[in-house]
């Protein structure tokens, strides 16, 4: 099964894919991206991802070229060529190639990249045992709603988690409230209600987050989209994180201390199962 790339109008083997060293994505992180999980050859929530990519592109004043408009079709074609059934589809659009200069280049054409690679299967005990997280300061800019390729603060945060032997870094803005994880949205469950940070410039509006909140409401769980403190998270009955590639992952320790009873919680389990059922329903 070949790992496929699409770069500026051509499909090729991923190992042959190249962009210029003067690409602004490489020089400045001047680009936007999406990650789509594909289940048995069907991209999940592709429309939602394409809409967010358009919002991100418009957030950095990146004109959408014809190719980007056709990105959905190109992504499906890349997936078909790869023949990878359980795949991660990556799409990136940068402001293109130009001699290095901070201001927007006058004539550059956006670089469009798509890659298809096999999805990593989740370790079998992750859902049953849950994961540990640590808290770190949120040092990002105030347009976290834009899914920008400029991920340095997220990279630094994730590395702190790895060094601490934790799975995810939960970011705390101004020492006061939880925003999200380095590559996930963060949820706390208290008295059977589901809490998560509100949409806006301080978080990425996760596609998985939106689906999980919809499922929570369908299951009659009150949903509270408000910021909460790190202390609230530490004292929550349950906690979990979500993302396209991870789906719903229970968190059982924060900064080395057990959360709830130190085991994945029942509502987290309900939502994780409901999410799997939603995936099956939409990709059948
Ligand atoms: C900072 C951040 N928050 C949240 C998410 C989860 O978003 P989604 O559910 O759309 O994958 C991601 C995904 O990569 C992310 O990078």
């Amino acid at each position: 099964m070949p790992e496929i790339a699409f770069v500026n109008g051509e499909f090729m083997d991923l190992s042959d894919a190249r962009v210029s060293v003067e690409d602004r994505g490489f020089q400045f992180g001047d680009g936007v991206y999406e990650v789509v999980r594909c289940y048995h050859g069907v991209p999940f929530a592709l429309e939602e991802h394409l809409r967010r990519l358009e919002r991100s592109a418009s957030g950095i004043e990146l004109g959408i070229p014809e190719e980007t408009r056709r990105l959905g079709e190109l992504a499906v074609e890349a997936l078909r060529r790869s023949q990878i059934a359980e795949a991660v589809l990556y799409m990136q659009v940068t402001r293109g190639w130009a001699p290095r200069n901070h201001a927007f280049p006058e004539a550059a054409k956006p670089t469009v990249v798509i890659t298809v690679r096999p999805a990593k299967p989740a370790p079998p005990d992750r859902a049953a045992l849950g994961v540990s997280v640590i808290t770190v300061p949120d040092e990002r800019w105030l347009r976290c709603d834009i899914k920008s390729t400029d991920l340095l603060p997220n990279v630094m945060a994730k590395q702190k988690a790895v060094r601490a032997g934790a799975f995810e870094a939960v970011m705390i803005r101004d020492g006061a409230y939880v925003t999200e994880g380095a590559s996930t949205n963060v949820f706390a469950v208290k008295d059977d209600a589901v809490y998560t940070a509100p949409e806006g410039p301080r978080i990425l509006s996760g596609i998985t987050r939106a689906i999980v909140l919809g499922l929570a409401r369908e299951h009659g769980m009150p949903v509270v989209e408000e910021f909460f403190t790190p202390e609230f998270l530490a004292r929550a009955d349950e906690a979990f994180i979500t993302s396209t590639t991870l789906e719903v992952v229970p968190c059982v320790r924060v900064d080395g201390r057990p959360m709830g009873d130190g085991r994945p919680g029942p509502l987290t389990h309900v939502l994780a199962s409901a999410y799997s059922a939603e995936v099956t329903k939409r990709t059948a």
Side-chain angles (χ1 to χ4, degrees):
M1 279 184 295
E3 292 185 322
I4 292 285
F6 172 89
V7 182
N8 288 333
E10 274 182 66
F11 290 100
M12 61 195 76
D13 261 23
L14 182 58
S15 56
D16 294 329
R18 303 279 181 274
V19 292
S20 166
V21 292
E22 290 212 285
D23 194 277
R24 292 178 63 91
F26 180 64
Q27 294 281 352
F28 297 112
D30 187 1
V32 293
Y33 75 105
E34 278 298 325
V35 178
V36 180
R37 177 69 164 84
C38 307
Y39 298 88
H40 37 267
V42 182
F44 179 65
L46 181 59
E47 279 309 311
E48 287 96 318
H49 285 281
L50 291 172
R51 277 203 299 275
R52 187 172 63 186
L53 187 72
E54 269 186 32
R55 285 202 306 276
S56 296
S58 112
I60 65 164
E61 298 177 41
L62 178 59
I64 293 271
E66 189 52 37
E67 238 164 33
T68 318
R69 240 170 259 130
R70 293 200 306 119
L71 210 56
E73 288 161 38
L74 292 168
V76 169
E77 175 60 15
L79 186 62
R80 192 191 63 75
R81 287 180 185 231
S82 77
Q83 296 184 305
I84 303 174
E86 300 304 313
V88 174
L89 190 63
Y90 178 84
M91 304 183 256
Q92 176 173 327
V93 186
T94 77
R95 210 178 303 277
W97 170 92
R100 190 174 187 283
N101 180 34
H102 285 62
F104 297 175
E106 299 236 317
K109 183 173 166 296
T111 301
V112 178
V113 169
I114 302 171
T115 63
V116 185
R117 314 186 69 175
K120 282 199 206 101
D125 54 357
R126 189 194 281 157
L129 300 180
V131 299
S132 303
V133 299
I134 58 164
T135 54
V136 301
D138 191 341
E139 294 172 337
R140 299 173 301 161
W141 70 336
L142 289 174
R143 287 306 307 273
C144 301
D145 53 319
I146 295 172
K147 198 163 169 66
S148 153
T149 55
D150 186 354
L151 287 168
L152 196 49
N154 308 59
V155 166
M156 303 298 286
K158 189 73 95 178
Q159 190 57 30
K160 281 185 193 163
V162 169
R163 282 205 191 107
F167 184 75
E168 178 59 305
V170 170
M171 295 189 275
I172 311 298
R173 182 67 78 174
D174 300 334
Y177 56 91
V178 173
T179 52
E180 61 183 333
S183 62
T184 57
N185 290 111
V186 175
F187 300 74
V189 177
K190 187 83 190 163
D191 299 330
D192 296 335
V194 179
Y195 291 76
T196 195
E199 289 183 287
R202 285 170 174 74
I203 67 159
L204 181 75
S205 179
I207 305 297
T208 322
R209 171 189 181 280
I211 294 170
V212 165
L213 291 182
L215 293 168
R217 290 187 178 103
E218 273 175 32
H219 281 77
M221 301 175 197
V223 167
V224 184
E225 294 180 72
E226 281 174 19
F227 289 113
F228 51 80
T229 63
E231 293 75 30
F232 182 86
L233 179 67
R235 289 196 314 269
D237 302 329
E238 306 177 26
F240 61 92
I241 51 177
T242 64
S243 81
T244 292
T245 50
L246 296 171
E247 306 174 344
V248 177
V249 175
C251 303
V252 293
R253 294 180 83 79
V254 59
D255 294 328
R257 286 183 296 278
M259 306 164 86
D261 64 2
R263 285 180 303 186
L267 266 57
T268 303
H269 180 69
V270 167
L271 291 173
S273 305
Y275 188 79
S276 296
E278 185 71 13
V279 166
T280 306
K281 192 170 91 186
R282 288 214 219 168
T283 57

